Amino acid sequence: MVKDHEIIDELFNFISTKLDWESKESWTNYHFNKLSDIIFKEVCVLISTDTLKRIVGKRGSLKPYNPHAETKNALAKFIGYSNWEEFEHFIVNKLNNQSFESNNSVNKVYNVSKNPFLQKTIIITSIIVVGLFVFVFFYFNTSIKGSILLEYDIKNTPMMVKAQYNIDKGLKNDSVWLDFGYNQQLNVNHDRVPIYLENSKGSLYHSYLIPGLFIVKLKTSKSTLDSEVVIVPSKGWESFIKNPYVSYTNLPKSENEKLFCSEIDRAEWGLQPHDDYCIEHINMGNFSFDGDNFDAEIKFKTGISTGSIACFDFKLLFHGNQGNPIFLSFLEEGCNQFQNLQVSDVVKFGNKDNTLHGLSIRPDSSYTLNISNHNKKMTITLNKTKKYEISYHLPVQDIVGIKLNTKGRGEIYYMKVWQNNRLKINEEFMKEPSL
């Protein structure tokens, strides 16, 4: 009989694979906080950090924790199943089959020392079995192949994409999904999870509603069979509001191109002063510069210290055209353990790298951010003080999109980008208030 904890273990193995994380035994507070946030954004069900810890046994309890049905269903949907019952049925069958095969492979004890013929038979049989095992192992792990071909007209959102896929499984029994790339985004809708493919070939249509860079993947639970990058362009700078109740609502652009959410905007969208919300400004596909050789300067002001958004003030994302990003987050003082920074293939977390604490910022304060990136070495400066330096290995390549994410009342004054001392981007969004 399959026990509940075995099903939970399988569930979190799926989650680790989907997010490309280590096994749950090595997770820290950061992972549980991040997972809670991702699950909410994907399936619109909030599972607290403490609940996730209790499920995996990292909170003291006299007996195993059995989560509510809604929690189970949300976790199952997060990994691509319709509900918990469907996932549980799949895992029970899988584990029962493994148990049956194990029981039938138990060695019996024979007295073969007095029977040379039986000895020879056992040796030959063993060689054949080992040979078959090696053949099946390599065949099953190398035979599955797949490809995708995307067709679309480059235009502004919504942008329709046709994805044609072709899968050659051989005898390998493994599930295959088509992932439209929402794992790379800060916010996703509950219907944007990877799609399970029942047929070996076919085509699917998908409409992208938000500008961005999406890595479309044909993948199994263990590997990516094929991938392709889709760049969904914007109409210049577009601004979106995001809170738990309004998911990626397009904000009307102010007459003077201001990048911030005014009192009128907040009232129009039904936001209260203490609501959790942020504003994301996106410019995709309208420029290009070398992501491994540039200098940038951004002047911004952090939001007023109201509302209950914890540990967040300003985020910056440069999209490399092949999916290698530059991502910087600047958090309020006291939230250093949640700091996050990525340059191409190198990722840093505040709970493991204390030097990231220099990127802390204060609410209701103005900052000039300078970035200098040359020879795969980036230097970050805030208000003329050098705060961080990081080297990386894989090239970022051409930058084709920028996202600026602020706490609701944050303001962005200007952005400038130079390449080889030539001004490539010069955007003045709003005049700085006089002192």
Side-chain angles (χ1 to χ4, degrees), residues 392-409:
Y392 58 99
H393 309 97
L394 298 179
V396 176
Q397 300 187 1
D398 288 344
I399 299 295
V400 294
I402 298 174
K403 291 185 179 181
L404 305 173
N405 200 308
T406 70
K407 185 181 288 187
R409 298 192 181 192

Side-chain angles (χ1 to χ4, degrees), residues 24-237:
K24 67 181 187 302
E25 288 75 18
S26 60
W27 288 4
T28 63
N29 284 332
Y30 166 81
H31 294 89
F32 289 102
N33 288 328
K34 186 70 174 176
L35 180 58
S36 175
D37 184 49
I38 295 173
I39 291 174
F40 176 76
K41 291 169 182 175
E42 286 204 17
V43 300
C44 292
V45 175
L46 180 61
I47 304 176
S48 70
T49 299
D50 284 340
T51 296
L52 291 171
K53 288 182 178 180
R54 284 198 296 271
I55 293 173
V56 301
K58 290 206 171 187
R59 278 280 188 266
S61 179
L62 296 177
K63 59 181 180 178
Y65 178 69
N66 184 26
H68 295 297
E70 183 182 8
T71 300
K72 291 181 177 180
N73 287 333
L75 291 168
K77 289 178 181 179
F78 180 65
I79 59 173
Y81 289 83
S82 300
N83 51 49
W84 180 260
E85 184 179 356
E86 180 185 12
F87 172 70
E88 185 177 38
H89 179 73
F90 169 77
I91 295 301
V92 168
N93 285 341
K94 173 185 173 183
L95 296 180
N96 282 339
N97 288 337
Q98 290 177 352
S99 176
F100 176 80
E101 293 169 2
S102 175
N103 290 336
N104 281 276
S105 64
V106 174
N107 294 324
K108 296 182 179 179
V109 179
Y110 294 94
N111 185 8
V112 300
S113 60
K114 299 179 180 180
N115 192 334
F117 175 76
L118 188 57
Q119 284 183 325
K120 185 181 295 185
T121 302
I122 291 175
I123 292 173
I124 295 173
T125 303
S126 299
I127 293 173
I128 294 173
V129 170
V130 171
L132 285 173
F133 175 80
V134 172
F135 170 77
V136 170
F137 175 81
F138 283 101
Y139 181 78
F140 272 36
N141 283 276
T142 59
S143 65
I144 187 167
K145 298 177 182 178
S147 62
I148 53 174
L149 176 64
L150 303 182
E151 298 178 6
Y152 53 90
D153 292 325
I154 298 178
K155 60 179 181 179
N156 300 113
T157 55
M159 191 173 91
M160 181 68 73
V161 174
K162 178 183 179 182
Q164 293 179 292
Y165 63 90
N166 192 346
I167 308 165
D168 179 14
K169 287 190 177 183
L171 296 177
K172 186 175 178 68
N173 182 22
D174 201 351
S175 299
V176 180
W177 288 270
L178 185 60
D179 185 344
F180 282 98
Y182 287 90
N183 287 346
Q184 288 82 42
Q185 305 305 307
L186 294 177
N187 302 289
V188 295
N189 296 324
H190 68 280
D191 60 342
R192 301 308 190 205
V193 296
I195 299 172
Y196 173 71
L197 302 176
E198 295 182 353
N199 301 318
S200 60
K201 62 174 58 177
S203 59
L204 293 173
Y205 289 87
H206 182 76
S207 181
Y208 288 101
L209 304 178
I210 303 297
L213 184 145
F214 302 84
I215 303 176
V216 182
K217 295 179 180 180
L218 186 67
K219 64 183 186 180
T220 69
S221 59
K222 297 180 180 179
S223 64
T224 297
L225 306 178
D226 196 11
S227 64
E228 191 168 335
V229 173
V230 175
I231 298 171
V232 181
S234 64
K235 300 175 183 177
W237 284 98

Side-chain angles (χ1 to χ4, degrees), residues 313-333:
D313 252 306
F314 180 75
K315 296 179 183 179
L316 166 67
L317 176 63
F318 287 123
H319 276 298
N321 65 343
Q322 295 303 310
N324 290 336
I326 296 174
F327 174 74
L328 309 178
S329 65
F330 299 87
L331 309 183
E332 297 176 10
E333 293 177 336

Side-chain angles (χ1 to χ4, degrees), residues 318-377:
F318 287 123
H319 276 298
N321 65 343
Q322 295 303 310
N324 290 336
I326 296 174
F327 174 74
L328 309 178
S329 65
F330 299 87
L331 309 183
E332 297 176 10
E333 293 177 336
C335 295
N336 309 112
Q337 68 270 28
F338 303 111
Q339 206 86 40
N340 189 3
L341 181 149
Q342 179 177 359
V343 183
S344 187
D345 58 312
V346 177
V347 183
K348 300 289 185 178
F349 297 103
N351 62 341
K352 296 182 179 179
D353 185 350
N354 292 332
T355 59
L356 281 178
H357 297 186
L359 301 181
S360 298
I361 52 180
R362 295 187 176 93
D364 197 23
S365 302
S366 296
Y367 290 90
T368 301
L369 167 65
N370 289 93
I371 300 171
S372 180
N373 191 28
H374 302 278
N375 301 316
K376 296 181 180 177
K377 185 176 184 179

